[in-house]
Amino acid sequence: MIVGNGEVADAEAGIIDAADFVIRFNDCRSYGASGSRTDAVAVCNTGRPAKAMLGSPEWRVHPGVVSAGEIWSVRDPEKFAAMRAPLAVSHPDLDDFCDDYTDAFIAFCADTGKTHVVIDKSIHEAVDAALSAFAPPPYVVPSSGMIVIAKVLNAYADAEVMLAGFGHVGWEWHPFAAERQLVDRYIAAGRLRRLGGKTLVSSSHGA
């Protein structure tokens, strides 16, 4: 179960908590209303989100973060180091976007007995390639949600993977329209389901 930070119906919390493995994101905004089980927290380990989480005592003691056995860093440091110079030209306002905090997350995991995972840049690059089929306008990076979906589908090919709380909206430099199309393609192929979806194929669901 991959639980985004979008809206989840109260009635679906029990389904989420009954899953074998639940992944939430960053500050676990989905925690509570969408159940409490949290096995992994996928974090943006570069830039302002990373700095904010690591600098927040509240984040460190959040029950979702505390209960998670794994922290997944969605941004491969090697990939983002290579992006710094091009971004300085194309998006000078994102001057801290590639600042890497992976070592701090590794230290946090060591201190709290958690496993730390870096999602390899090959996953990111495969997502970029898959998104290109939908001709998205120029974007900076895929969303963390899309990276985690690709990671899970790649690592657990035989698992039943379900999404909740995915509205495919947010930061202007994520290719959300193309991501929705890609997710719908995976659903049509039977690789994913949206929690609350009446059928496996539904592009109209606001999950």
Side-chain angles (χ1 to χ4, degrees):
M1 183 72 69
I2 305 173
V3 187
N5 287 326
E7 187 174 342
V8 176
D10 291 344
E12 295 171 350
I15 300 172
I16 292 171
D17 279 347
D20 293 325
F21 197 86
V22 178
I23 306 163
R24 300 182 192 271
F25 292 86
N26 290 326
D27 55 3
C28 296
R29 271 178 288 162
S30 64
Y31 187 95
S34 64
S36 59
R37 177 162 185 163
T38 310
D39 296 284
V41 179
V43 299
C44 289
N45 50 304
T46 72
R48 296 165 205 173
K51 185 176 182 181
M53 282 183 279
L54 291 163
S56 167
E58 292 79 13
W59 181 81
R60 292 170 179 268
V61 299
H62 187 288
V65 174
V66 170
S67 65
E70 302 180 11
I71 300 292
W72 293 9
S73 289
V74 302
R75 295 175 171 176
D76 187 321
E78 184 178 331
K79 171 78 174 175
F80 279 71
M83 289 172 57
R84 186 182 291 276
L87 274 179
V89 176
S90 63
H91 295 79
D93 55 316
L94 300 181
D95 58 328
D96 57 353
F97 185 77
C98 296
D99 290 356
D100 181 46
Y101 293 88
T102 306
D103 286 346
F105 282 109
I106 291 172
F108 170 73
C109 289
D111 289 343
T112 54
K114 302 183 191 301
T115 299
H116 181 263
V117 175
V118 174
I119 297 180
D120 191 81
K121 64 179 182 178
S122 63
I123 298 290
H124 185 138
E125 289 161 1
V127 169
D128 282 333
L131 289 170
S132 69
F134 305 102
Y139 64 91
V140 174
V141 289
S143 70
S144 296
M146 197 68 242
I147 297 294
V148 167
I149 289 169
K151 159 72 173 175
V152 169
L153 292 179
N154 183 67
Y156 307 102
D158 297 326
E160 180 183 6
V161 183
M162 191 169 288
L163 305 183
F166 273 74
H168 304 291
V169 293
W171 190 49
E172 63 179 316
W173 295 115
H174 290 324
F176 281 116
E179 289 187 7
R180 178 184 289 278
Q181 291 175 285
L182 181 56
V183 166
D184 285 343
R185 176 176 285 182
Y186 290 148
I187 291 170
R191 301 190 68 195
L192 284 175
R193 290 178 60 190
R194 291 191 193 273
L195 182 58
K198 301 303 181 188
T199 65
L200 289 179
V201 185
S202 177
S203 61
S204 60
H205 265 290

